[in-house]
């Protein structure tokens, strides 16, 4: 019997603490149990909600670039600070600390993989 692989650009993958791993309709927020693995092709800031800050209170987030290039920005923790940023290129990743507001700018079209606990994730507009 032929089996079908998971299209990671169309579906999400969740990993539960009991070892269960399965694919499902992609959901990025809400009351989601377990770790979410999400793969994206991004071409512009609109593809990564670049006009918003995002944070994940339940976990750190691993942001990995498979191809292309992004700039990942961390929101200043005090008003006197500047944004910190890192250029993430193919074969590299950055771990966004738990609860830290962050955003992405697309330097060149990219394929990304993110892993985090999405429970209670938040978005807030950039000001």
């Amino acid at each position: 019997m032929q089996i079908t692989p998971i299209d990671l650009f169309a579906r999400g993958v969740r990993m539960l603490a009991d070892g269960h791993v399965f694919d499902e309709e992609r959901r990025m927020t809400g009351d989601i149990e377990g770790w979410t693995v999400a793969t994206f092709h991004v071409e512009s800031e609109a593809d990564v909600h670049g006009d918003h800050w995002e944070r994940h209170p339940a976990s750190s987030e691993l942001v990995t670039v498979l191809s292309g290039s992004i700039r990942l920005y961390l929101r200043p923790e005090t008003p006197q600070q500047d944004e910190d940023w890192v250029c993430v290129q193919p074969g590299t990743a950055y771990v966004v600390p738990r609860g830290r507001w962050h955003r992405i700018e697309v330097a060149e079209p990219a394929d990304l993989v993110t892993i985090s606990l999405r429970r209670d994730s938040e978005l807030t507009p950039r000001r």
Side-chain angles (χ1 to χ4, degrees):
M1 172 173 60
Q2 182 176 357
I3 55 176
T4 305
I6 301 166
D7 179 349
L8 294 176
F9 291 97
R11 308 273 298 164
V13 173
R14 274 205 292 144
M15 301 181 296
L16 303 180
D18 67 2
H20 191 135
V21 176
F22 56 95
D23 71 304
E24 65 180 358
E25 183 177 333
R26 185 178 298 204
R27 296 185 298 151
M28 301 310 289
T29 60
D31 187 21
I32 301 173
E33 179 186 357
W35 292 87
T36 298
V37 178
T39 305
F40 309 91
H41 178 73
V42 298
E43 296 202 15
S44 72
E45 276 70 46
D47 297 325
V48 290
H49 53 74
D51 58 345
H52 283 73
W53 292 103
E54 174 185 51
R55 75 174 173 172
H56 309 287
S59 75
S60 297
E61 178 180 31
L62 177 70
V63 178
T64 304
V65 173
L66 301 177
S67 67
S69 179
I70 64 167
R71 287 179 300 278
L72 191 147
Y73 291 85
L74 299 175
R75 185 171 163 179
E77 296 189 86
T78 66
Q80 298 78 21
Q81 294 176 313
D82 292 330
E83 294 177 352
D84 290 323
W85 64 277
V86 61
C87 184
V88 189
Q89 298 180 336
T92 67
Y94 183 77
V95 177
V96 178
R98 172 185 274 187
R100 186 76 187 266
W101 289 102
H102 59 284
R103 65 182 179 86
I104 292 173
E105 289 183 358
V106 178
E108 62 181 286
D111 290 330
L112 312 177
V113 177
T114 65
I115 303 172
S116 70
L117 292 173
R118 299 282 179 191
R119 184 179 59 252
D120 300 325
S121 293
E122 300 175 82
L123 289 175
T124 189
R126 284 179 61 198
R127 292 189 193 352

